[in-house]
Amino acid sequence: MSEDAVKVMKQQVGKAAADLVKSGSIVGLGTGSTTAYAIQYIGERLQNGDLQDIKGIPTSFQARVLAKQYGIPLTSLDEVDRIDIAIDGADEVDPQKQLIKGGGAAHTQEKIVDSLAEQFVVVVDESKIVEKLNLGFLLPVEVLPMAMTPVMQKIEALGGKTTLRMGVKKAGPVVTDQGNLVIDVKFDNGIDNPAELEKTLNNIPGVLENGLFVNVADVVLIGEVKDGKPTVRQM
């Protein structure tokens, strides 16, 4: 599949998600390449008058920068009593709409915003659809720096292989927007019970949040390229 086809597909999925936003909404703005197009199209709808009175709540520094770039006014969780819709990507989606997120190390803020949203719309391309979570993509766990070693030991005892996520073009580990570290976890046979594992991991002292999003997604929009033409289908 050509890079151009992939780009057009991501744009179409982003646009399909942006089209679900209604005037007067508080919108959770997610992180990642496909969501970036959704933010762009929300901005365009605001500029051309198709949308009015929108406020965005960003889930990451990246989302904040894009929202400003495309003229979406921002607010915070302290200022609002609801989020009408959140749009965000995912690294894996299983048939029950359970997700792994956190490839961009923003999953803690994303989970706070996406879980609060009345409607959580996931935008992905077909490569992210899997039969079972964690067979292909590592599960990120955000951890306080001082707790890194004991947390890794506890996760290993649960059967997970752990690696500390290291920076690219940066010496040393990835540091999240909250100033924490990310441990990437692999279970050999994937994750059998995402709901149970999500709770178990979050109960380990020093863990802030993990990348399992269980029973959070409402709508999954999937971009595909069929016969060279980009299409969007809903799961």
Side-chain angles (χ1 to χ4, degrees):
M1 203 188 308
S2 73
E3 273 181 37
D4 286 346
V6 172
K7 183 180 167 185
V8 172
M9 173 183 73
K10 287 186 173 191
Q11 285 172 329
Q12 289 199 345
V13 182
K15 189 171 187 312
D19 286 343
L20 296 174
V21 177
K22 298 182 173 76
S23 289
S25 311
I26 310 287
V27 188
L29 302 171
T31 310
S33 57
T34 309
T35 315
Y37 288 120
I39 294 173
Q40 179 186 338
Y41 287 117
I42 292 168
E44 286 178 12
R45 287 187 65 197
L46 272 173
Q47 301 315 318
N48 67 26
D50 187 28
L51 263 186
Q52 276 122 23
D53 188 28
I54 293 289
K55 286 201 170 71
I57 296 187
T59 59
S60 63
F61 192 70
Q62 184 215 20
R64 179 178 296 279
V65 169
L66 285 168
K68 285 195 159 148
Q69 186 182 331
Y70 293 114
I72 301 170
L74 295 178
T75 185
S76 71
L77 293 175
D78 295 330
E79 308 296 321
V80 301
D81 57 2
R82 64 174 209 283
I83 298 174
D84 298 294
I85 184 171
I87 298 168
D88 209 346
D91 297 298
E92 286 189 337
V93 182
D94 79 3
Q96 286 73 47
K97 295 187 192 165
Q98 316 300 23
L99 320 173
I100 286 183
K101 290 177 53 49
H107 58 276
T108 299
Q109 290 187 57
E110 290 168 349
K111 200 184 274 194
I112 293 166
V113 171
D114 297 343
S115 302
L116 285 168
E118 199 60 37
Q119 185 183 37
F120 173 33
V121 179
V122 181
V123 290
V124 288
D125 60 75
E126 58 193 333
S127 69
K128 308 287 169 65
I129 307 300
V130 298
E131 275 307 304
K132 191 178 184 184
L133 297 176
N134 195 227
L135 288 176
F137 199 87
L138 300 174
L139 173 66
V141 178
E142 182 164 351
V143 61
L144 297 172
M146 68 167 281
M148 178 188 81
T149 302
V151 168
M152 286 171 97
Q153 287 166 347
K154 287 239 166 61
I155 295 173
E156 297 268 347
L158 293 172
K161 293 191 176 69
T162 60
T163 43
L164 179 64
R165 188 181 301 181
M166 302 308 278
V168 178
K169 298 188 179 175
K170 168 194 180 293
V174 166
V175 179
T176 69
D177 287 357
Q178 287 77 241
N180 298 312
L181 304 176
V182 176
I183 296 168
D184 283 313
V185 184
K186 176 76 177 85
F187 290 90
D188 275 344
N189 301 316
I191 294 169
D192 291 315
N193 189 332
E196 200 179 300
L197 184 63
E198 181 182 31
K199 291 193 183 84
T200 302
L201 290 173
N202 280 359
N203 275 338
I204 300 173
V207 169
L208 190 61
E209 190 53 87
N210 69 78
L212 282 168
F213 281 52
V214 176
N215 302 335
V216 187
D218 297 303
V219 176
V220 180
L221 297 176
I222 305 162
E224 300 176 310
V225 175
K226 285 199 167 148
D227 307 323
K229 289 189 181 65
T231 58
V232 180
R233 72 177 167 95
Q234 190 169 322
M235 184 181 203

